[in-house]
Amino acid sequence: MGELDPGFKYEVMREPGGEQLKMCFSCTGCTVSCPVSEIEPMYNPRRYIHQTLVGMRDEVLGDEHLWRCVQCHSCYEYCPQDVKVTELISVLRSLSEREAKKGRVRIKNPLYLFENAFAESVRRHGRVHESMVIAKHIWKTKGLKGLMEFMPLGKAMFFKGKISLFAKSISKRDQVQKIFEIVREGEH
Amino acid sequence: MKTYSFYPGCFVEGSEVEYAKSCEKVFHELGIGIKELEDWNCCGALELTTNKALVIALSARNASIAERMGYECIVPCNICYNNLRKAEHEIKNKTKVGEIAIKALKEAGINYEAKIPIRHLLDVLINDVGIEEIKAHVKKPLSGLKVAPYYGCLVVRPSKICAFENPVNPTSMDNILETLGAEVINFEHKVKCCGGSTLMGDRDTSFELSAEILEEAVRKGADCIAVVCPMCHTMLDGQQAMIESQMGKKFGIPVLYLTQLMGVAMGLSSSDVALDKNIVPAENILNKISKEGGV
C-alpha cells in the first residue's frame, strides 16, 4: 500500500464535480444501485469514496476499474447526501489521467484514448465525426481483427446511409475552439 | 401551431437517420413546427467525462442558440438532453463550473442566460401535445402489438435536474404507447443502463448490460422495444447481432424509436418513418398489428 495522503480529499474537492465528497455517510446506496458493480464487484463507488476520504491516493488513481463507470447516474440519483457520485468518479478519472500523463499510472482501459480522440474531433470540427473516430479507435486498440469483427455492422450501416465518410464542420468552429482553449487553460 | 427549436445532436444527425426522419414526420402530422438549431455543435456527449466544465460550456453554446432563436428547444437524445439541462442548471445556479463555462462562452463572444426551456422529446409529447391530441391522430391502432418501453438513464436521472418524469418508474412512454393501441409490457429494465457509454472501452460490460434488457423483452413476449435515445438504439438495435454472437443467444427483437411507432399508428408509410433503416429488420412488426379495429 502506498503512503496515505491526507490532502487527497481536498485535491478531489477542488475539482468541478468533487465538491460534495465529504457529505458521504457511507450508506452504500451508490454501490447497491450500480449496474456495473452488479457485474464486476471490483468497481465499487462507495469504496472509492472511502479510499479518497482516508487518503489512499495511489490506490484510487491507479485503479483500473475506475474506467468502468457507464455514467448512468444511478448512484447520483440514489445518494441521499447529494454527493453527485457519478461526477465524483469522473473527477477521479480525470486525476488518474493526469497521473498517467506524468507516467506515474498506466491506464489499460482504452476508453480514455477514445475520449481524447473524440474531444479532438469536436475541437477541430465543432461536431464529432463519429464513424471516423470509432473506426480509428477500433483499429488502434483491436487491429485488423477488431475491424473485421465490425465489418458486418459497418457494411449494413454503410448501405443504409448511416455512415458519413466526411466530417461535417460547423461554420463557427472558432467559437468552439475558443471554448476548448479557455476551459483547458483553467486546468491544473 | 407551436414552434420549437430542435437540437438533433451528432448521433441522430449522423447515423440514427430513422429517428431524425420519424421525428420530422410525426411533428409535422401533429402540427408542430420545428426549426433546427443554427450551426449547433457537439454537446460533448459522455466522452468528455474528465472535463465537466468543457461539457457544460459546449452544451451551453447550443442552448444559447435556442435562446437567440427564441424557441423552446426539443432534444431527442437522452445524452444531449442531460448535458444541456446540466448546463442550464450549473449556469443558472452560478456554480463554480457554471462560472468557468460562462467565462469561456463570453470569450467566444456568446451570451447565454439560461432562460430558454430545454425539453426532451418525450416531455414535449406528453406534456405539451398531450395524450388526447395524440389519440386524435391515431388512424391505425397498434392493436395486438406487444411493446417493451425502454426509457434509458439520462432522460430521468438525475431527477433533480431532468425533472419531468419519475426516475424509478416513468410512465409517459407507456401512456403514449397505450394511446397508440399497443399492448405495453410491464418492463422492469425500463430505466436500467444499456452500457452504451463504455462500448469503446469495456465492450463486455456494455454487452452484458444490453443483453439484460433484450432478454427481459424477449422473455416477456414483446414484439419490439421502444426507445427515445440514439445511444440506447445503437446498443439494442445496431449491436444486437454482435451481442448475440458474444453471448451465444438469439434475441432477434426489433428496436424502434417511439416516433417510428407513432408514425405507423398515425397512418404514415414505412418509408416516412424509415423502418428500412433499422438494423434488426423492423418492417415485420407491421404484420403483427391485427387488422381488426384498424381503418
Side-chain angles (χ1 to χ4, degrees), chain A:
Chain A
M1 196 174 92
E3 267 185 50
L4 292 183
D5 176 355
F8 184 40
K9 55 178 173 289
Y10 301 110
E11 185 183 351
V12 170
M13 286 165 65
R14 273 196 300 272
E15 297 291 324
E19 301 91 342
Q20 299 280 93
L21 170 71
K22 272 175 41 176
M23 293 304 290
C24 172
F25 57 27
S26 301
C27 73
T28 321
C30 48
T31 300
V32 172
S33 67
C34 176
V36 178
S37 300
E38 208 179 306
I39 294 172
E40 173 52 71
M42 286 303 287
Y43 175 80
N44 184 334
R46 176 183 180 252
R47 194 189 70 237
Y48 294 131
I49 294 174
H50 255 281
Q51 287 178 320
T52 304
L53 286 167
V54 299
M56 296 168 73
R57 192 176 189 279
D58 296 347
E59 284 78 0
V60 174
L61 300 188
D63 192 308
E64 190 57 37
H65 298 288
L66 269 184
W67 294 86
R68 299 187 86 128
C69 167
V70 288
Q71 306 277 317
C72 76
H73 287 64
S74 293
C75 51
Y76 190 128
E77 183 67 36
Y78 286 96
C79 177
Q81 289 292 89
D82 201 24
V83 173
K84 300 187 168 61
V85 186
T86 316
E87 295 187 358
L88 183 72
I89 297 295
S90 295
V91 169
L92 298 176
R93 281 184 179 184
S94 158
L95 295 175
S96 171
E97 199 179 339
R98 284 180 218 169
E99 291 298 292
K101 279 180 189 153
K102 291 175 197 157
R104 293 193 203 134
V105 158
R106 209 180 137 252
I107 302 169
K108 280 189 237 126
N109 189 313
L111 190 62
Y112 88 101
L113 293 174
F114 182 71
E115 293 195 353
N116 287 341
F118 190 103
E120 184 49 24
S121 181
V122 176
R123 197 190 65 79
R124 279 181 60 189
H125 308 294
R127 292 181 193 170
V128 63
H129 187 202
E130 197 185 46
S131 44
M132 195 49 75
V133 172
I134 289 176
K136 270 190 185 165
H137 180 76
I138 294 176
W139 168 251
K140 249 181 171 170
T141 54
K142 293 188 170 166
L144 194 60
K145 188 174 160 276
L147 281 180
M148 291 307 284
E149 224 176 27
F150 188 73
M151 271 311 276
L153 176 60
K155 225 167 100 184
M157 287 180 71
F158 181 76
F159 286 113
K160 283 175 188 279
K162 289 175 155 234
I163 291 181
S164 48
L165 295 174
F166 304 102
K168 286 180 188 158
S169 297
I170 69 169
S171 45
K172 290 179 181 160
R173 287 189 298 280
D174 54 323
Q175 288 190 339
V176 167
Q177 280 157 13
K178 194 74 190 170
I179 289 172
F180 269 83
E181 186 194 315
I182 300 293
V183 173
R184 282 181 169 169
E185 256 173 28
E187 278 180 22
H188 307 281

Side-chain angles (χ1 to χ4, degrees), chain A residues 14 68 70 72-73 77 87 90 97 115 126-127 130 137 149 160 162 170-172 175 187, chain B residues 11 18 39-42 47 49 51-52 61 86 96 157 159 197 200 202 205 276-278:
Chain A
R14 273 196 300 272
R68 299 187 86 128
V70 288
C72 76
H73 287 64
E77 183 67 36
E87 295 187 358
S90 295
E97 199 179 339
E115 293 195 353
R127 292 181 193 170
E130 197 185 46
H137 180 76
E149 224 176 27
K160 283 175 188 279
K162 289 175 155 234
I170 69 169
S171 45
K172 290 179 181 160
Q175 288 190 339
E187 278 180 22
Chain B
F11 227 157
E18 58 270 48
D39 208 36
W40 54 267
N41 58 274
C42 171
E47 321 304 332
T49 57
N51 198 330
K52 184 179 169 185
R61 180 180 177 274
K86 270 192 181 167
K96 206 171 108 188
R157 291 189 298 266
S159 58
S197 76
M200 291 295 140
D202 174 14
T205 299
D276 60 318
K277 299 292 184 188
N278 295 49

Side-chain angles (χ1 to χ4, degrees), chain B residues 31-43:
Chain B
I32 287 176
I34 293 288
K35 288 183 191 297
E36 185 170 326
L37 288 190
E38 293 150 8
D39 208 36
W40 54 267
N41 58 274
C42 171
C43 70

